[in-house]
Amino acid sequence: MPELPEVEALKDFLTEHLVGHEIVRVLPVAISVLKTYDPPLAAVEGQAVTAVRRHGKFLDLETSGGLHLITHLARAGWLHWKDRLPDGPPRPGKGPLALRVALETGEGFDLTEAGTQKRLAVYLVRDPGEVPGVARLGPDPLAADFDEERFAALLSGERRQLKGALRDQSLIAGVGNAYSDEILHAARMSPFKLAASLTPEETHTLYQALRSTLTEAVERSRGVAAGRLKAEKKSGLRVHGRTGEPCPVCGDTVREVSFSDSSLQYCPTCQTGGKPLADRRMSRLLK
């Protein structure tokens, strides 16, 4: 799933390629992708893109007519830039193409989604706050006013484990499964540690890990073409998606805990005092 650093990079890429250009056609290919119907998609045609913004993991194309074309790429969605779009409208079918946006220059982009779980979402609204996912977002962790005091206040009443708290978009916007693993590894903390149990020193450590991990990921992605962002993300991850590989910090083997629809990765030596975390799902499968 694209998270804050990749969506920030897509925002920068689209700012360079879209701002000042006119949207001549928006073509939904998968019926499931469109989540709003008033105003209709045709209302944005003929309008120029005036800005591209990011709200957590949402991309927002602001237009000269005051409308916002907002996209959430979900787990398996992606944006593919085309210097020249194919002639003729795309054909609906079973392929990954979900929506196409065409500019007056002949350029544009396709939104695609792999797999069978279709969660990619597109909204056309007059105000970003009309999108439920945007309206419930917590603060952006890279915002100038997101200081350590604000971070500590968010965690002070949290009885959840750190992994779940960091991924909650209503608490902190933009962090998902991958970067929560990376942040906790950088902070040398167990993903199962309770957020409310942090000491002031631990809160400071976690805040620094949050900011540095995301900032470094944004810098790695800056200037990378949209088509290469996925590979760039994977190359920069130290524990997430690296089960069985050596930890780049201590050399211990990266372990995994599996859940019904996701998994987390961590280093026992760096994060849990050398003790592997219980993986109840795997234990049940092995019985």
Side-chain angles (χ1 to χ4, degrees), residues 163-215:
K163 173 71 175 181
L166 289 174
R167 291 185 64 187
D168 183 352
Q169 299 304 293
S170 65
L171 190 73
I172 301 171
V175 178
N177 197 30
Y179 286 106
S180 57
D181 282 352
E182 297 298 299
I183 291 163
L184 291 167
H185 180 256
R188 303 179 71 89
M189 292 182 186
S190 169
F192 289 174
K193 186 178 182 66
L194 292 179
S197 72
L198 295 182
T199 66
E201 293 76 18
E202 289 172 328
T203 299
H204 173 75
T205 298
L206 185 59
Y207 174 77
Q208 293 295 329
L210 171 72
R211 296 275 286 197
S212 62
T213 298
L214 295 177
T215 299

Side-chain angles (χ1 to χ4, degrees), residues 5-6 178-179 182 213 216-222 224-225 227-242 245-246 248:
E6 295 76 50
Y179 286 106
E182 297 298 299
T213 298
E216 290 166 10
V218 168
E219 289 304 315
R220 285 196 308 269
S221 300
R222 199 177 300 280
V224 176
R228 302 204 312 273
L229 280 171
K230 284 185 179 180
E232 175 57 40
K233 175 181 180 178
K234 186 175 181 179
S235 70
L237 299 176
R238 295 183 295 181
V239 291
H240 183 78
R242 299 194 180 278
E245 298 181 22

Side-chain angles (χ1 to χ4, degrees), residues 119-139:
R119 298 177 179 174
L120 189 150
V122 174
Y123 310 81
L124 184 62
V125 293
R126 298 173 180 86
D127 184 278
E130 296 174 35
V131 178
V134 174
R136 72 179 183 89
L137 287 175

Side-chain angles (χ1 to χ4, degrees), residues 36-102:
T36 57
Y37 303 95
D38 181 23
L41 272 183
V44 81
E45 296 175 355
Q47 297 187 19
V49 178
T50 56
V52 183
R53 309 187 191 281
R54 177 182 61 79
H55 312 285
K57 303 177 192 177
F58 290 83
L59 271 172
D60 175 2
L61 308 187
E62 187 175 337
T63 68
S64 55
L67 297 178
H68 297 256
L69 187 64
I70 296 179
T71 301
H72 191 287
L73 293 171
R75 176 173 293 184
W78 198 246
L79 184 148
H80 303 268
W81 179 259
K82 307 286 186 180
D83 290 329
R84 181 71 191 181
L85 287 171
D87 294 329
R91 295 181 179 179
K94 296 183 179 180
L97 181 60
L99 183 130
R100 174 168 291 167
V101 175

Side-chain angles (χ1 to χ4, degrees), residues 9-20:
L10 284 174
K11 182 205 76 173
D12 291 344
F13 178 87
L14 292 177
T15 295
E16 179 182 350
H17 289 77
L18 289 181
V19 171

